[in-house]
Amino acid sequence: MALLQILDPGAKPKPIGIDLGTTHSLVAYVTATGEPVTLADCDNETLVPSAVRYAPDGSVVVGKQALDAAAHAPAETFLSIKRFMGRGSADVAKEPHPYKLVGTDGAPRFEVGAGRAVTPVEVSAEILRELRNRALDELGGVGGAVITVPAYFDDAQRQATKDAGKLAGLDVLRLLNEPTAAALAYGLDAKKNGTFVVYDLGGGTFDVTVLVLDDGVFQVKSTGGDSHLGGDDMDRALAELLAGDAAANLTTDSRRALELAARQVKHALSERDNVNADIELPGGARVTRTVSRTDFEQAIAPLLDRTLKAARRALRDAKLGAADVDGVILVGGATRTPAVRRAVAELFGKEPLTSIDPDRVVALGAAVQADILAGETGRDDVLLLDVLPLSLGVETMGGVVERILPRNTPIPAAAAQVFTTYADQQTGFELHVVQGERELAADCRSLAKFTLRGIPPMSAGMARLEVRFEVDANGILHVSAKEQRTGIEQSVDVEPTYGLGDDEIERMLLDAYEHGEDDVKKRALTEQRVEAARILDATRAALRTDATLLEPGERELIDKHVVALEMAAAGEDHHAVARAIESLDHAIKPFAGRRMDRAFREALRGRDLGGLESETAHAKGIESHLPQGERDGRTQVEK
């Protein structure tokens, strides 16, 4: 029998905090006494399995009922949908999953019935809608919501999460990084100051964050992790162990059923040394095996190593050692695994903090932040200072990246830089926005491309393009470009291109560390080649138009240095290119001086000397007030 929901029309909407997790999700709020609590269902369960089933009759089931159907209806039951948020169809197609992917371009869409397909955003919205309804049942009215995301979620993943919240009927006040939410819950609960590490290993994502708590100020010093690593990977590793040699021959349905059973075995191994597994698979096949905790820990050792490497890197970025850390906060259900807790304790030399349930701590912190943003508590002594996980910049001539907002910049943040043109008569600028730590744009992630058109033709270096980056409190990037002389302007809310996996950020950082020295050399070589091309073009043009000003033997000398520079630019030694540029500059200087003298004499004919001096002084003033970075920076341009 259906229950009639009766809401109090006079109830004041309460702000809520939501932990939209890979495996489980929760909703919390702050009580009248100022205590954050998670909301439970009629069975007193606070965790909502992040499972959504689209039944053949057209109904949608969320939570435990959907999870129970996952083994026998895998194609229509979505688990761990968080892993697909903000990703492209082509990338999703590379992963093993039981869903019917429709098309290979743009955002992924999954067929769930005749003539119907859903996106990861729509599936996530169903989970958020379920949490919103739970809050409505309990509170009578829901105000704004703070939704947590992994610190390593990129712009596309954050935007997808925000869209899912809107689709679920929520007023999204803020996207809050999960480690920061956990620190907020612990900081307000324990009233502690100091340096803390948040080790967040959830169902599908891993984050490690170093932050300082100082009298209500939560300042993130560094962040790292892997947005494609979590408890789900442990389940898969254990499933492979259980299946043994038969793992390669498992059907999609059997693999799903085995992974779900492996999750239960994993939970049991947290309490026992050995577990006798007897698993029935679709079709009647059975998997029977005794698994020891040691066997399981050996299977997941490579996964734990990945988390520890990220933790060490985060400490280096924060310029700290393990001894400088006052406490380690564990977040996520996967941190209940004894091997995880033991590894964390060994790395930091102290037992991690576990006084708050690691499954609930993120939702509790989100509720506190929602309460603060909504002005419910009147608190103004809490300040959250998060950081960018990766640098943001633009591609300049030669494919070099000019960083505008460096990695670990506190957000919200804004910065601008001025660029100029490389060639004459440009009528537009093509802006390519990238994210990453490599020196060349080809090695970074492409976020957006747009063109600023309608610029009047000018000589090279005359146009002045101000590019401004703004990252809001949700970590979402907004870019604007303005040609300062004409006032022509364009802006874009960056929606990153699809096609890269969620672990791309971690790979970018690893590549940046591994290839740092080579990247610096490549950047230097590229910059010298661009400068060489500019000087060679200018030299050839001067020789064509003013050959009559050459002294005997001068042409041969200049040609010799031109050839030397061409050869150096074709090589791989940026120092050799720089020397060749300097040699050509020295050789052509007398010729250039005569060209300047003649141009000055021609300009004087029939002109008022005072007016000319005034114009010359004005031109010199512009140049002298233009910073070196602005004179030399060049964007990719469109002729």
Side-chain angles (χ1 to χ4, degrees), residues 222-300:
S222 66
T223 187
D226 189 331
S227 59
H228 210 55
L229 172 64
D232 287 354
D233 299 284
M234 293 183 179
D235 298 343
R236 293 192 186 95
L238 183 53
E240 295 282 338
L241 180 65
L242 290 168
D245 295 337
N249 300 320
L250 290 175
T251 64
T252 301
D253 290 3
S254 295
R255 187 174 296 277
R256 164 68 70 86
L258 186 58
E259 288 175 2
L260 289 171
R263 182 179 299 175
Q264 301 305 314
V265 174
K266 177 184 70 176
H267 293 164
L269 285 172
S270 293
E271 306 295 333
R272 297 155 54 186
D273 292 330
N274 296 280
V275 171
N276 296 319
D278 186 4
I279 305 164
E280 183 177 355
L281 301 179
R286 303 190 74 85
V287 172
T288 304
R289 179 167 179 170
T290 299
V291 182
S292 69
R293 181 183 292 180
T294 301
D295 293 335
F296 171 58
E297 291 181 352
Q298 289 176 348
I300 65 171

Side-chain angles (χ1 to χ4, degrees), residues 47-266:
L47 297 178
V48 177
S50 298
V52 179
R53 183 192 180 199
Y54 293 85
D57 62 2
S59 63
V60 180
V61 181
V62 180
K64 188 175 184 304
Q65 282 183 298
L67 184 63
D68 291 342
H72 67 266
E76 59 193 43
T77 307
F78 292 89
L79 306 180
S80 302
I81 196 65
K82 188 173 179 178
R83 286 183 176 236
F84 295 152
M85 293 286 277
R87 299 180 65 192
S89 292
D91 210 44
V92 171
K94 298 175 184 176
E95 288 197 16
H97 59 75
Y99 314 124
K100 299 175 183 177
L101 189 62
V102 180
T104 57
D105 296 326
R109 298 181 66 83
F110 303 103
E111 183 180 329
V112 293
R116 186 184 180 191
V118 295
T119 66
V121 169
E122 292 173 285
V123 178
S124 294
E126 295 290 353
I127 301 170
L128 291 171
R129 191 175 290 113
E130 176 71 16
L131 296 171
R132 176 178 177 271
N133 290 339
R134 176 177 289 193
L136 280 172
D137 289 341
E138 179 74 20
L139 306 175
V142 171
V146 169
I147 303 176
T148 61
V149 293
Y152 252 40
F153 255 25
D154 63 25
D155 202 82
Q157 293 164 312
R158 291 171 188 270
Q159 190 61 58
T161 303
K162 198 170 184 180
D163 291 344
K166 292 178 181 177
L167 192 60
L170 293 166
D171 175 17
V172 182
L173 298 173
R174 178 76 54 84
L175 297 182
L176 181 64
N177 285 348
E178 290 167 3
T180 310
L184 188 58
Y186 263 98
L188 294 180
D189 177 67
K191 309 295 185 190
K192 289 184 178 180
N193 286 342
T195 300
F196 291 82
V197 170
V198 180
Y199 180 99
D200 182 356
L201 186 61
T205 60
F206 170 68
D207 287 307
V208 59
T209 300
V210 180
L211 54 95
V212 174
L213 277 60
D214 185 11
D215 294 333
V217 178
F218 292 67
Q219 183 174 8
V220 176
K221 291 297 185 181
S222 66
T223 187
D226 189 331
S227 59
H228 210 55
L229 172 64
D232 287 354
D233 299 284
M234 293 183 179
D235 298 343
R236 293 192 186 95
L238 183 53
E240 295 282 338
L241 180 65
L242 290 168
D245 295 337
N249 300 320
L250 290 175
T251 64
T252 301
D253 290 3
S254 295
R255 187 174 296 277
R256 164 68 70 86
L258 186 58
E259 288 175 2
L260 289 171
R263 182 179 299 175
Q264 301 305 314
V265 174
K266 177 184 70 176

Side-chain angles (χ1 to χ4, degrees), residues 463-586:
R464 291 164 58 85
L465 180 72
E466 181 184 75
V467 179
R468 183 174 181 82
F469 280 19
E470 296 182 13
V471 178
D472 64 21
N474 296 313
I476 295 175
L477 173 64
H478 312 271
V479 179
S480 63
K482 181 178 181 180
E483 204 292 305
Q484 294 181 329
R485 297 183 187 277
T486 62
I488 295 174
E489 186 173 6
Q490 185 175 337
S491 62
V492 60
D493 290 345
V494 173
E495 295 182 4
T497 52
Y498 293 105
L500 295 177
D502 286 347
D503 57 353
E504 189 67 7
I505 294 178
E506 177 69 6
R507 187 193 63 76
M508 286 182 192
L509 286 177
L510 290 173
D511 286 348
Y513 282 107
E514 293 174 4
H515 304 290
E517 186 175 347
D518 290 339
D519 283 353
V520 170
K521 291 179 180 178
K522 287 180 181 178
R523 180 188 182 111
L525 178 61
T526 299
E527 290 176 337
Q528 291 296 340
R529 282 175 171 170
V530 169
E531 183 65 10
R534 185 187 67 80
I535 290 175
L536 288 170
D537 287 345
T539 300
R540 295 187 185 106
L543 291 174
R544 284 194 304 270
T545 58
D546 294 318
T548 57
L549 296 178
L550 289 167
E551 298 287 348
E554 195 171 32
R555 176 62 181 261
E556 289 76 11
L557 176 64
I558 293 173
D559 285 345
K560 175 183 175 182
H561 285 286
V562 165
V563 171
L565 179 53
E566 289 173 338
M567 293 179 63
E572 301 296 326
D573 186 351
H574 66 90
H575 295 295
V577 182
R579 289 192 297 268
I581 289 174
E582 185 177 354
S583 297
L584 176 57
D585 182 64
H586 181 74

Side-chain angles (χ1 to χ4, degrees), residues 424-442:
D424 294 335
Q425 310 304 308
Q426 301 296 321
T427 59
F429 292 87
E430 182 183 273
L431 271 297
H432 183 198
V433 182
V434 297
Q435 182 181 40
E437 304 308 308
R438 302 292 295 274
E439 298 295 332
L440 301 182

